[in-house]
Amino acid sequence: MTRVPAAGAEAPATDAPADFVQSLARGLAVIRAFDAEHPALSLSGVARRAGIPAAAARRFLRTLESLGYVRADGREFALTPRVLELGYGYLSALSLPEAMQPHLERLSAEVGESVSAAVLDGADVVYIARVPTRRIMSVSITLGTRFPATATSMGRVLLAARPDAELDAVLAASELAPLTPQTLVDPARLRRRIAEVRERGWELIDGELEAGLRSVAVPVRGRDGRVAAALNVSTSATRETRDGLRDRILPLAQGAAAAIETDLRLL
């Protein structure tokens, strides 16, 4: 499953503010051109994925290389670990990843499956913490990985916690693409499903993000009582039934979320 970042463009959007800095937007688009599926790119690949001319891509890549954020290996470019500095301020201020990680590790050890946490960013979920046990998807999931919120268990939990007006805006901005034959793409049915999630407080996804992948997610509330993140347990359909996810794993996930919430209140 390939998701090309909605990155830079030749001109700012018509609703961009008057002080919009296009060069900064292009530079960020170059960084966002790299992801788990595209860890190394040629100059033309960066230009295509960032939506900018090759000459501009070259200038941005060389600037990022001189600053230590990009390295060149022959005709290909790749990000360096220094790019983590760009998100460190947000993650450290959020305090969620640090508070969640030990609980995710305990939950993963208890259920023997991969456990993750994510926050909502626009129409996507963004992974902020993860404990993998085995490769269960065709793409590699790392911190910062994005998936459509509407097709993920964590995304629907997070969307269910949003006010109706915000939910409407997110759904309007979502592509609702059929990632698998099971992906729920009908807007009316999706709204009803999110309403059900809001009522019961958890969501179970079966083969909607990727065939054969099942996951169950629960919300995690911050110190202010509002849903700040979601955590999920992911497994293969060959290892765990839907009933097993709901009856055995869901209560454990809810317990981990409660423990995280207790820690957050003490921070």
Side-chain angles (χ1 to χ4, degrees), residues 33 42 64 80 90 92 96 98 105 126 132 143 145 148 153 182 195 203 213 221 225 238 250 255 263-264:
S42 64
L64 290 167
T80 73
Y90 170 73
S92 60
L96 269 174
E98 183 178 4
E105 292 172 358
V126 181
L143 299 188
T145 294
S153 58
Q182 284 72 44
E203 173 64 319
L213 177 69
R221 299 182 182 276
T238 61
L250 173 60
D263 284 358
L264 289 175

Side-chain angles (χ1 to χ4, degrees), residues 28 38 76 83 107 110 140 178-179 188 199 231 234 238 254 258:
L28 292 173
H38 305 85
E76 290 194 326
V83 298
L107 176 60
E110 191 170 11
S140 176
L179 304 176
E199 179 69 22
L231 71 82
S234 300
T238 61
Q254 291 171 323

Side-chain angles (χ1 to χ4, degrees), residues 111-167:
V111 301
E113 300 290 354
S114 298
V115 179
S116 305
V119 295
L120 189 66
D121 183 24
D124 293 337
V125 292
V126 181
Y127 282 67
I128 62 170
R130 178 164 169 79
V131 182
T133 58
R134 54 179 67 85
R135 184 73 173 268
I136 58 176
M137 291 190 68
S138 63
V139 298
S140 176
I141 300 177
T142 59
L143 299 188
T145 294
R146 291 172 172 266
F147 288 123
T150 55
T152 63
S153 58
M154 289 191 290
R156 290 184 187 168
V157 164
L158 293 167
L159 289 174
R162 295 303 190 264
D164 288 338
E166 186 175 342
L167 173 61

Side-chain angles (χ1 to χ4, degrees), residues 14-225:
T14 55
D15 59 349
D19 51 0
F20 183 89
V21 182
Q22 186 176 18
S23 60
L24 176 59
R26 286 180 168 185
L28 292 173
V30 167
I31 294 175
R32 291 163 53 208
F34 300 91
D35 59 21
E37 295 180 73
H38 305 85
L41 290 166
S42 64
L43 173 62
S44 61
V46 171
R48 174 175 50 81
R49 287 178 57 80
I52 61 177
R58 181 186 299 276
R59 291 195 299 272
F60 286 116
L61 285 168
R62 292 308 182 191
T63 300
L64 290 167
E65 184 182 11
S66 68
L67 294 173
Y69 294 110
V70 166
R71 60 176 172 82
D73 183 10
R75 301 182 62 181
E76 290 194 326
F77 299 86
L79 298 179
T80 73
R82 190 169 187 177
V83 298
L84 296 174
E85 295 177 353
L86 301 177
Y88 178 76
Y90 170 73
L91 291 176
S92 60
L94 187 65
S95 76
L96 269 174
E98 183 178 4
M100 298 179 98
Q101 192 67 31
H103 297 283
L104 300 188
E105 292 172 358
R106 281 193 289 271
L107 176 60
S108 178
E110 191 170 11
V111 301
E113 300 290 354
S114 298
V115 179
S116 305
V119 295
L120 189 66
D121 183 24
D124 293 337
V125 292
V126 181
Y127 282 67
I128 62 170
R130 178 164 169 79
V131 182
T133 58
R134 54 179 67 85
R135 184 73 173 268
I136 58 176
M137 291 190 68
S138 63
V139 298
S140 176
I141 300 177
T142 59
L143 299 188
T145 294
R146 291 172 172 266
F147 288 123
T150 55
T152 63
S153 58
M154 289 191 290
R156 290 184 187 168
V157 164
L158 293 167
L159 289 174
R162 295 303 190 264
D164 288 338
E166 186 175 342
L167 173 61
D168 291 342
V170 171
L171 293 181
S174 301
E175 295 182 10
L176 301 184
L179 304 176
T180 76
Q182 284 72 44
T183 307
L184 187 57
V185 295
D186 178 76
R189 291 182 58 198
L190 185 58
R191 287 175 185 275
R192 289 197 295 271
R193 182 61 173 262
I194 292 174
E196 294 171 1
V197 175
R198 184 180 290 173
E199 179 69 22
R200 66 175 174 251
W202 55 272
E203 173 64 319
L204 190 154
I205 290 286
D206 188 359
E208 293 193 49
L209 180 64
E210 183 165 308
L213 177 69
R214 288 176 176 154
S215 69
V216 63
V218 296
V220 176
R221 299 182 182 276
R223 283 165 287 188
D224 58 2

